[in-house]
Amino acid sequence: QVQLKQSGPGLVKPSQTLSLTCAISGDSISSNTAAWTWIRQSPSRGLEWLGRTYYRTTWYDDYAASLRSRITINPDTSKNQFSLQLNSVTPEDTAVYYCARELTATTKFDYWGLGTLVTVSS
Amino acid sequence: DIQLTQSPSSLSASVGDRVTVTCRASQTITKYLSWYQLKPGKAPKLLIYTVSNLQSGVPSRFSGSGSGTDFTLTISSLQPEDSATYYCQQSFSAPRTFGQGTKLEIK
C-alpha cells in the first residue's frame, strides 16, 4: 500500500518561500512507472496541477507555465521523498497543497497525501 | 493548455436518484480522462480512470463514459455519502488540467 505523508509549515509570509515535503512509503521515488506530483486546491482556482518530477534513466521535471519562474520540485533519493519550493509567494498562493503519485501506464493519480493548508499572510 | 468545462457547477439530488456530470475538453483527449471525488478534510479520491475504468474499491454505482472531447460521470443510485465535489482531469498532455468542479448536494 502506497502512502504519501506531507510535512511543512502552514503559514508563510508574503514574498517568502513555501516549502513542503512528501515522504513516500510503499513505492520508490526512482520508480520508472510513476511521476511524483504537486497539486493545489483553492476556492478561486479549484484544482491546479503545479508540476512533477520523475525518473526515466535520468531525472525529469516539468511545471505549470504560470509558475515556472517560481517553482522547484526536487527528488531526494536518500530519504525516498520529494519536495516543493514556491518562491515569492503572495496571498493568491493560499491553498491546500497535495502531493500525489501519477502512474505512467494509466495516467491516473491513484495515491494522494492528506493535504496541507498553506496560508500566505503577514 | 487543454481546458475542461464541467456542467453543472452544482446540483442537488435525492437519495436513489441517477446523477450525471459532464466534462467537455477544448480539444480531443482520446481516452485520458479521470474523475475524482473531493470531501473537506480528506485526500482526493480517484473514482474513474481512462474514461470508464473503475478504480479498485470504488462502488459500482459510479461509472464513466465518453470519448474524444465529451465525457460523463454517472452515479446510478445516489447515496448520502456521495455528497462531495467532483472533478474531471485530463492526462492527454502536460500540463495536466482539471475541470472547475461540480458540487453535489443531497436533498
Side-chain angles (χ1 to χ4, degrees):
Chain A
Q1 179 80 348
V2 175
Q3 292 189 349
L4 303 177
K5 185 174 182 180
Q6 297 180 218
S7 59
L11 180 64
V12 182
K13 289 181 166 46
S15 80
Q16 295 192 344
T17 297
L18 180 160
S19 296
L20 297 174
T21 299
C22 183
I24 303 162
S25 58
D27 198 356
S28 171
I29 185 72
S30 303
S31 166
N32 59 13
T33 60
W36 304 97
T37 304
W38 288 97
I39 293 164
R40 68 183 179 184
Q41 183 200 14
S42 64
S44 59
R45 297 172 183 246
L47 283 172
E48 181 182 12
W49 180 91
L50 304 181
R52 61 184 176 177
T53 185
Y54 55 99
Y55 184 76
R56 304 287 185 269
T57 73
T58 189
W59 287 99
Y60 295 89
D61 54 38
D62 55 333
Y63 302 115
S66 62
L67 297 174
R68 195 165 287 132
S69 64
R70 300 195 288 133
I71 189 173
T72 305
I73 296 175
N74 281 324
D76 182 343
T77 57
S78 67
K79 295 181 178 179
N80 203 36
Q81 63 186 30
F82 62 109
S83 63
L84 167 69
Q85 286 198 308
L86 185 64
N87 302 324
S88 305
V89 297
T90 72
E92 286 205 347
D93 295 311
T94 294
V96 178
Y97 287 75
Y98 295 100
C99 58
R101 182 182 82 165
E102 181 183 13
L103 282 183
T104 304
T106 53
T107 66
K108 60 182 181 180
F109 293 110
D110 60 345
Y111 288 99
W112 296 65
L114 291 178
T116 302
L117 173 60
V118 179
T119 301
V120 179
S121 174
S122 54
Chain B
D1 298 3
I2 295 175
Q3 309 299 319
L4 297 178
T5 303
Q6 284 182 237
S7 61
S9 56
S10 65
L11 75 145
S12 181
S14 300
V15 172
D17 283 354
R18 182 182 182 89
V19 169
T20 298
V21 179
T22 64
C23 179
R24 173 164 288 176
S26 59
Q27 64 185 78
T28 183
I29 55 174
T30 63
K31 63 177 182 177
Y32 295 104
L33 192 284
S34 300
W35 291 95
Y36 298 85
Q37 178 191 67
L38 267 72
K39 294 183 177 181
K42 292 194 170 184
K45 181 180 181 180
L46 171 66
L47 301 175
I48 303 283
Y49 62 97
T50 48
V51 178
S52 59
N53 290 282
L54 193 68
Q55 175 69 359
S56 176
V58 173
S60 59
R61 64 180 179 273
F62 291 92
S63 64
S65 63
S67 65
T69 60
D70 293 302
F71 303 90
T72 300
L73 171 71
T74 299
I75 308 173
S76 60
S77 179
L78 195 64
Q79 300 300 303
E81 60 268 30
D82 299 335
S83 176
T85 303
Y86 294 84
Y87 290 87
C88 58
Q89 176 255 324
Q90 67 81 22
S91 47
F92 178 78
S93 65
R96 307 315 196 203
T97 50
F98 293 85
Q100 80 276 20
T102 296
K103 187 171 184 177
L104 174 56
E105 172 195 274
I106 310 297
K107 286 180 185 174

